[in-house]
């Protein structure tokens, strides 16, 4: 920690560092937007918008340190990424529960999705950082947890609750589902590019930090904007 500088010099051609900086600023701006908009919503939606702001704020703080780590050492800040994800991904799962409460979502759904997300991230960290010789095994477990989340929101209890709620809630739920299915798919791809396993013959190794940075900003800010739009539209009804 003592090696971090408040201002780190970045090369004009350092696209990883550039996207770290842009991601940090974009998510900080999104946090300010969500926090400052809270007063316009009633209690029904205020918590959802607040959580959106917390997601982008947590990510912005971590991106500040990840940018400096990259500039100082020229290495991918894997540890900081997982600390960020282990905080923000369960909060993104919480968003599904919050918008589906109106349709009768129970806390069992919330805890189920949070457990899936933690298993996904912890096993991913084990494979990428701790037990690198068995990365394919840990990646397989992480992938199962990811697909469990996908199943839950597309075909499981969450999907049925969204259908029962209908209207703006169902529309928002479906958009969030696409974020998870498409936007989150880059993370297992990046995992396979950064580790050794049976998949190396199909997926070449490489630095995927730029893609991670762009995906983080799109997924986290996009999640929040969907929630914000739902809150605005619901108050018009």
């Amino acid at each position: 920690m003592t090696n971090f500088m408040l201002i780190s010099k970045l090369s004009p051609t350092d696209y990883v560092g550039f996207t770290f900086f842009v991601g940090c600023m974009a998510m900080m701006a999104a946090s300010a937007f969500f926090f400052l908009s809270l007063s316009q919503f009633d209690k029904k939606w205020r918590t959802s918008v607040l959580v959106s702001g917390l997601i982008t704020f947590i990510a912005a703080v971590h991106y500040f340190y990840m940018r400096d780590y990259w500039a100082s050492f020229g290495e991918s800040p894997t540890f900081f990424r997982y600390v960020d994800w282990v905080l923000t991904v369960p909060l993104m799962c919480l968003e599904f529960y919050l918008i589906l409460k109106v349709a009768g979502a129970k806390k069992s759904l919330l805890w189920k999705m949070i457990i899936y997300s933690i298993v996904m991230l912890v096993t991913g960290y084990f494979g990428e950082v701790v037990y690198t010789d068995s990365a394919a095994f840990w990646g397989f477990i992480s992938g199962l947890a990811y697909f469990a989340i996908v199943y839950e929101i597309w075909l499981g209890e969450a999907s049925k609750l969204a259908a029962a709620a209908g209207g703006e809630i169902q529309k928002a739920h479906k958009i969030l589902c696409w974020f998870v299915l498409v936007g989150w798919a880059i993370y297992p791809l990046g995992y396979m590019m950064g580790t050794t396993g049976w998949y190396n013959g199909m997926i070449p190794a490489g630095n995927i930090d730029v893609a991670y940075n762009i995906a983080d900003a799109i997924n986290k800010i996009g999640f929040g904007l969907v929630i914000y739009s739902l809150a605005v539209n619901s108050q018009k009804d």
Side-chain angles (χ1 to χ4, degrees), residues 1-10 64-65 67-73:
M1 294 295 290
T2 57
N3 290 328
F4 287 146
M5 298 177 291
L6 291 177
I7 301 176
S8 299
K9 184 177 180 180
L10 294 173
F64 174 83
Y65 285 106
R67 183 206 66 186
D68 262 11
Y69 187 93
W70 171 264
S72 299
F73 304 108

Side-chain angles (χ1 to χ4, degrees), residues 83 97 125 128 163 191:
V83 174
Y97 168 74
Y125 182 78
E128 195 165 355
Y191 179 91

Side-chain angles (χ1 to χ4, degrees), residues 7-79:
I7 301 176
S8 299
K9 184 177 180 180
L10 294 173
S11 167
T13 58
D14 184 354
Y15 301 113
V16 175
F18 175 76
T19 51
F20 272 129
F21 185 83
V22 171
C24 178
M25 293 299 101
M27 287 187 277
M28 186 60 73
S31 300
F33 173 76
F34 294 134
F35 290 148
L36 292 174
S37 68
L38 284 175
S39 60
Q40 75 183 77
F41 302 113
D42 56 33
K43 291 183 179 179
K44 179 180 178 181
W45 297 110
R46 200 172 296 165
T47 302
S48 296
V49 178
L50 173 62
V51 171
S52 297
L54 289 174
I55 291 169
T56 51
F57 179 76
I58 291 169
V61 172
H62 281 90
Y63 261 63
F64 174 83
Y65 285 106
M66 286 193 283
R67 183 206 66 186
D68 262 11
Y69 187 93
W70 171 264
S72 299
F73 304 108
E75 298 175 356
S76 182
T78 306
F79 171 78

Side-chain angles (χ1 to χ4, degrees), residues 77-99:
T78 306
F79 171 78
F80 284 109
R81 282 205 187 277
Y82 276 94
V83 174
D84 172 19
W85 291 340
V86 84
L87 294 172
T88 56
V89 173
L91 287 175
M92 294 168 87
C93 291
L94 172 62
E95 293 283 39
F96 281 99
Y97 168 74
L98 290 174
I99 69 171

